[in-house]
Amino acid sequence: MTERVVLAYSGGLDTSVCIGWIAEETGAEVVAVAVDVGQGGEDLDVIRKRALDCGAVEAEVADAKDEFADEYCLPAIKANALYMDKYPLVSALSRPTIVKHLVAAARKHGASTVAHGCTGKGNDQVRFEAGISSLAPDLKCIAPVRDYAMTRDKAIAFCEEKGLPIATTKKSPYSIDQNVFGRAVETGFLEDIWNAPIEDVYDYTSNPATPREADEVVITFDKGVPVAVDGKPVTVLQAIQQLNERAGAQGIGRIDMVEDRLVGIKSREVYESPGGIALITAHQELENVTVERELARYKRQVEQRWTELVYDGLWFSPLKRALDGFIDEANQHVSGDIRMTLHGGRAVVTGRKSEQSLYDFNLATYDTGDSFDQSMSKGFIEIFGLSSKIAAQRSLHAERDADQA
């Protein structure tokens, strides 16, 4: 029986060439799998036909937008996931979604190997291969660009030699990855970290410096899940899409950063995630209202570790799954409304309302009706600072003894 390889297929030049390239290098039949995570572009049926025209023996396409939003973006929102306090894991979240479909296709078609189009310098190779090995330890992985030195020049030459039905137009100056949660842009002139991004880098967001009317929005959460926008019920996917449009129109969600890649290098990245940043901003503020202090403090530590695990490609790891349980539990009371003003590149919270609120007006007020017994504070401070006071006294005694010696 002929070996089969399942290929993560985008429909572009590189992965189209990979179909014939893999067949020639390995002698295997190629099954192409394209997964729609809201990246836009061509129709899935067009992509499927192209894969077959380029030599795939089978081609599968999957509309995974709701799956991606519900099972991958939502946990990131609940975790307030911002890698290095900035990046909302746009690409890192889509990889495990795609991996699940690749593994399912490998089982269905009896494939022994999964292939992807990543280079040997980036994070995505790790995300694909670590994910595949976690779900299917028996499957092998290959990456033609990395393993067989399939450069773009070679890909174009191969395409022309074989007469493949795909345009070999001049490559964009940028490397772009996008999905419904956001957009990642790198390479080109951005590799000089002194160069400022120009407007044509952006697509999901308008220029925040352009004068325009502010937009006020109310987002409703139920146990950490966004369930309504301005009082109208939404799915998680619809919440992201609507806020992409509204926050994006105000220039919200632009991120320009130098980040620490898993492979040990620093990389300059430009991101856009208007819906993601708006939802995380709202979710964080609702947690401030509804989550008890010690739980909130500890959750911030968990959030950082969770985010690092996902960034590093360990979505299916035991630690990540265990932290999921903690984060879900911490979100049990994160229900209510957050009002935000979207304007000038910022999502600013202006109102909070929750039946699960831990904010007590009578305890917080300094006016008539104050129910906080201030007389208790003096004794509390004495006890709270006692250990530091005793340590300070010891240091003072030691200094005196040293002076007298």
Side-chain angles (χ1 to χ4, degrees):
M1 182 178 175
T2 305
E3 288 276 315
R4 283 194 161 185
V5 175
V6 165
L7 170 68
Y9 185 65
S10 69
L13 171 67
D14 293 336
T15 54
S16 293
V17 168
C18 277
I19 295 171
W21 192 288
I22 291 169
E24 286 196 359
E25 290 286 338
T26 67
E29 296 178 335
V30 177
V31 177
V33 176
V35 182
D36 182 1
V37 286
Q39 64 266 37
E42 295 178 305
D43 182 87
L44 286 176
D45 289 335
V46 173
I47 291 174
R48 180 179 182 279
K49 184 177 185 305
R50 181 177 302 136
L52 294 171
D53 290 343
C54 288
V57 295
E58 301 274 358
E60 292 193 2
V61 294
D63 182 346
K65 292 191 292 293
D66 277 298
E67 174 190 346
F68 176 52
D70 292 341
E71 299 178 24
Y72 300 88
C73 300
L74 177 57
I77 294 167
K78 287 183 174 182
N80 302 318
L82 297 171
Y83 181 67
M84 295 178 69
D85 300 322
K86 288 185 177 182
Y87 168 46
L89 300 177
V90 169
S91 296
L93 292 171
S94 72
R95 301 323 184 210
T97 320
I98 297 168
V99 161
K100 283 187 71 174
H101 287 269
L102 294 174
V103 170
R107 296 303 189 215
K108 176 181 174 181
H109 296 284
S112 60
T113 304
V114 175
H116 58 80
C118 301
T119 71
K121 289 180 70 173
N123 300 308
D124 283 338
Q125 57 180 332
V126 183
R127 294 164 181 161
F128 276 115
E129 295 183 29
I132 290 163
S133 65
S134 294
L135 295 182
D138 55 305
L139 291 178
K140 299 189 291 287
C141 294
I142 60 172
V145 175
R146 180 192 67 198
D147 302 338
Y148 302 126
M150 195 192 83
T151 64
R152 188 169 180 87
D153 289 344
K154 290 180 181 178
I156 291 172
F158 186 91
C159 181
E160 292 173 348
E161 177 191 342
K162 302 297 181 182
L164 299 180
I166 184 164
T168 57
T169 53
K170 184 179 178 181
K171 187 182 180 185
S172 163
Y174 314 117
S175 173
I176 299 170
D177 178 62
Q178 61 190 42
N179 56 56
V180 73
F181 206 58
R183 189 167 174 269
V185 185
E186 61 179 12
T187 72
F189 79 96
L190 295 172
E191 289 179 345
D192 182 340
I193 59 177
W194 187 250
N195 289 336
I198 56 178
E199 276 304 306
D200 74 354
V201 166
Y202 300 106
D203 184 56
Y204 284 14
T205 56
S206 299
N207 188 336
T210 301
R212 57 175 65 87
E213 291 294 317
D215 184 7
E216 186 175 271
V217 63
V218 176
I219 304 172
T220 303
F221 291 87
D222 181 21
K223 297 182 178 180
V225 182
V227 294
V229 175
D230 287 336
K232 297 178 181 178
V234 290
T235 63
V236 178
L237 176 62
Q238 289 169 339
I240 295 169
Q241 289 172 328
Q242 289 182 27
L243 287 161
N244 274 343
E245 184 176 342
R246 293 174 66 175
Q250 298 287 339
I252 293 164
R254 293 186 173 188
I255 302 153
D256 177 5
M257 65 185 289
V258 174
E259 72 185 42
D260 292 319
R261 279 190 180 176
L262 175 58
V263 295
I265 65 176
K266 289 186 181 289
S267 174
R268 200 272 187 86
E269 309 282 342
V270 173
Y271 298 107
E272 297 177 279
S273 181
I277 292 298
L279 285 165
I280 289 173
T281 300
H283 180 266
Q284 284 176 319
E285 187 62 21
L286 189 57
E287 282 192 336
N288 289 344
V289 174
T290 58
V291 178
E292 182 270 334
R293 183 186 67 182
E294 295 305 316
L295 175 57
R297 287 177 173 178
Y298 197 80
K299 183 174 181 286
R300 283 191 282 274
Q301 300 176 48
V302 171
E303 289 171 358
Q304 180 176 342
R305 192 71 192 100
W306 188 96
T307 301
E308 291 167 349
L309 289 169
V310 174
Y311 181 89
D312 290 348
L314 296 175
W315 181 275
F316 300 107
S317 68
L319 177 56
K320 155 65 172 50
R321 287 199 300 270
L323 297 184
D324 283 338
F326 174 89
I327 289 168
D328 282 340
E329 175 62 28
N331 272 272
Q332 287 305 299
H333 298 291
V334 185
S335 301
D337 298 330
I338 293 294
R339 187 180 66 236
M340 293 195 303
T341 297
L342 311 176
H343 190 237
R346 299 178 63 213
V348 179
V349 174
T350 62
R352 315 129 180 95
K353 183 168 61 176
S354 172
E355 292 183 0
Q356 302 293 321
S357 174
L358 296 177
Y359 178 87
D360 186 324
F361 177 86
N362 290 327
L363 286 173
T365 185
Y366 286 90
D367 294 333
T368 304
D370 180 4
S371 62
F372 187 91
D373 186 349
Q374 298 188 42
S375 67
M376 296 188 297
S377 292
K378 185 175 178 57
F380 163 75
I381 294 168
E382 285 289 332
I383 294 172
F384 181 75
L386 185 59
S387 63
S388 296
K389 180 179 180 180
I390 293 171
Q393 289 172 336
R394 179 184 63 189
S395 298
L396 206 58
H397 288 318
E399 290 173 7
R400 287 172 180 168
D401 290 344
D403 289 342
Q404 292 172 359

